[in-house]
Amino acid sequence: AQRVTQPEKLLSVFKGAPVELKCNYSYSGSPELFWYVQYSRQRLQLLLRHISRESIKGFTADLNKGETSFHLKKPFAQEEDSAMYYCALSQSLDTGGFKTIFGAGTRLFVKA
Amino acid sequence: EPEVTQTPSHQVTQMGQEVILRCVPISNHLYFYWYRQILGQKVEFLVSFYNNEISEKSEIFDDQFSVERPDGSNFTLKIRSTKLEDSAMYFCASSEGGSQGITDTQYFGPGTRLTVL
């Protein structure tokens, strides 16, 4: 069964400290993985996707198929990074669309 | 930048009543979705809609739920007879439709908080 696991509900770090938000997945086939972010009182928005291999707002995530992980990292956390982070994978549908399977989310709190 | 919009932002209803949640997807998008998040739980897929019909639905999406695109712009989720456990945040999303084998980006609306009393 397809599943996304985020083991930490809450992660609290000091400003300037490194951050790693953990994500593990279970998927038969080649997964497409994403990180979504939801800032306070704002909508869910895509942060990054593994196929882009890009860095957004200083965050990176590497897909490790051997460990079935897609951890989100940032070397130096900023207070404005405080938000809810969701790891997700997409499952293609026959019609060409897809559905997103979300993890439970990790709330990141960056302290001054 | 175009955005998905949802109305109302908060809906309070009595158990057993019908509710309609409205969404306006991004105008050139072809795929539409509803997701649900019960307080304290994960965001769950409900249904996807393409070419004026449901393309996939989850086990949550039972006979009391229906979706419609009545006028080419709005995309609605109707819950026929609400239950207490339908209280949740409902998110609409849309996507353009990617190349074969490539997942495109889903854009989410701000959500409608449904409270069933």
Side-chain angles (χ1 to χ4, degrees):
Chain A
Q2 294 82 3
R3 190 167 56 243
V4 177
T5 304
Q6 293 180 253
E8 303 142 326
K9 284 192 172 179
L10 173 66
L11 183 63
S12 182
V13 302
F14 283 102
K15 177 181 167 183
V19 171
E20 183 178 50
L21 299 165
K22 290 185 167 40
C23 172
N24 288 90
Y25 66 90
S26 169
Y27 187 72
S28 55
S30 292
E32 285 202 53
L33 284 143
F34 305 81
W35 277 97
Y36 283 85
V37 61
Q38 188 172 29
Y39 300 102
S40 179
R41 295 194 183 88
Q42 295 186 29
R43 66 187 66 205
L44 271 168
Q45 52 187 289
L46 180 65
L47 180 63
L48 53 78
R49 53 197 298 174
H50 91 269
I51 60 170
S52 302
R53 302 186 66 82
E54 57 197 343
S55 173
I56 304 290
K57 300 184 180 182
F59 285 98
T60 58
D62 289 317
L63 179 62
N64 185 323
K65 290 185 179 180
E67 295 182 358
T68 59
S69 68
F70 188 56
H71 303 325
L72 183 69
K73 299 177 185 178
K74 184 168 182 176
F76 308 104
Q78 304 298 316
E79 287 180 76
E80 55 266 29
D81 296 328
S82 295
M84 195 74 176
Y85 291 81
Y86 294 95
C87 183
L89 66 80
S90 70
Q91 181 180 349
S92 297
L93 304 176
D94 293 340
T95 53
F98 60 100
K99 69 179 181 185
T100 304
I101 298 165
F102 287 89
T106 298
R107 182 166 296 284
L108 174 64
F109 181 55
V110 181
K111 298 176 282 192
Chain B
E1 187 177 333
E3 290 184 331
V4 176
T5 59
Q6 289 184 243
T7 53
S9 57
H10 191 187
Q11 173 92 47
V12 181
T13 190
Q14 295 289 328
M15 190 169 57
Q17 294 297 303
E18 175 183 285
V19 293
I20 298 176
L21 310 183
R22 290 185 166 77
C23 167
V24 179
I26 294 173
S27 62
N28 64 332
H29 285 187
L30 301 177
Y31 297 87
F32 314 109
Y33 312 85
W34 283 100
Y35 291 82
R36 177 181 86 174
Q37 185 177 31
I38 295 171
L39 187 64
Q41 298 185 25
K42 60 177 66 177
V43 178
E44 301 171 290
F45 169 81
L46 288 178
V47 66
S48 65
F49 190 85
Y50 168 71
N51 201 25
N52 279 321
E53 59 184 23
I54 290 173
S55 52
E56 174 130 349
K57 59 184 180 180
S58 71
E59 59 274 11
I60 302 167
F61 195 88
D62 61 23
D63 291 343
Q64 68 161 343
F65 290 93
S66 62
V67 289
E68 200 175 37
R69 195 150 187 256
D71 57 12
S73 80
N74 288 286
F75 178 52
T76 61
L77 174 68
K78 183 193 290 186
I79 309 175
R80 194 180 2 257
S81 176
T82 50
K83 306 186 193 107
L84 295 176
E85 54 265 34
D86 293 328
S87 294
M89 194 76 161
Y90 288 81
F91 294 102
C92 174
S94 69
S95 67
E96 189 175 359
S99 306
Q100 194 165 9
I102 308 285
T103 304
D104 65 332
T105 301
Q106 280 183 336
Y107 293 85
F108 284 82
T112 293
R113 181 168 298 286
L114 176 65
T115 302
V116 182
L117 303 175

